[in-house]
Amino acid sequence: MAEITEATWATYVDGERVELPATIDGIRAALPAQQRGEFDTEVGSTPANELPRVLGHWALRTHPQAWDEVEAEFARLEAGDYSGVVFLEDDHDVQEQGEGAA
């Protein structure tokens, strides 16, 4: 990944803080060349109110380990493993399902 000298977002990979590009140009430059066309198409057709989510998604893709961790976390949740999840609402049915998950 190229050195980032612009605005950044921070995330954690394996417990270590990493910086991700936080501008359209920075994200495009940090992506592998074969992903830039897809990025441009998606960003160009995204409504303004959805841009932060879309840019965050693509910023994570600039750091393969960060993206792998996101994918693994979603797979774990989709498999029904809610261990470590903090519920913001009292939805006892979901909480009870999560308690027994491995």
Side-chain angles (χ1 to χ4, degrees):
M1 184 169 82
E3 184 176 331
I4 301 169
T5 59
E6 300 178 358
T8 60
W9 279 319
T11 192
Y12 290 83
V13 176
D14 291 328
E16 298 289 323
R17 180 184 162 102
V18 296
E19 291 187 347
L20 303 172
T23 65
I24 292 171
D25 287 343
I27 294 167
R28 181 186 300 110
L31 285 169
Q34 66 271 23
Q35 293 181 4
R36 291 178 187 156
E38 183 183 353
F39 169 78
D40 288 338
T41 298
E42 185 171 355
V43 169
S45 64
T46 297
N49 64 322
E50 293 291 318
L51 275 173
R53 180 187 57 78
V54 169
L55 293 174
H57 163 92
W58 281 97
L60 284 168
R61 291 180 69 173
T62 67
H63 193 291
Q65 284 180 281
W67 186 247
D68 290 346
E69 283 190 12
V70 168
E71 292 283 299
E73 191 69 15
F74 274 101
R76 182 180 68 80
L77 293 169
E78 287 175 340
D81 179 356
Y82 298 104
S83 58
V85 172
V86 176
F87 292 92
L88 299 178
E89 298 177 4
D90 287 331
D91 188 347
H92 297 290
D93 292 336
V94 174
Q95 288 178 2
E96 289 173 9
Q97 291 174 7
E99 289 173 4

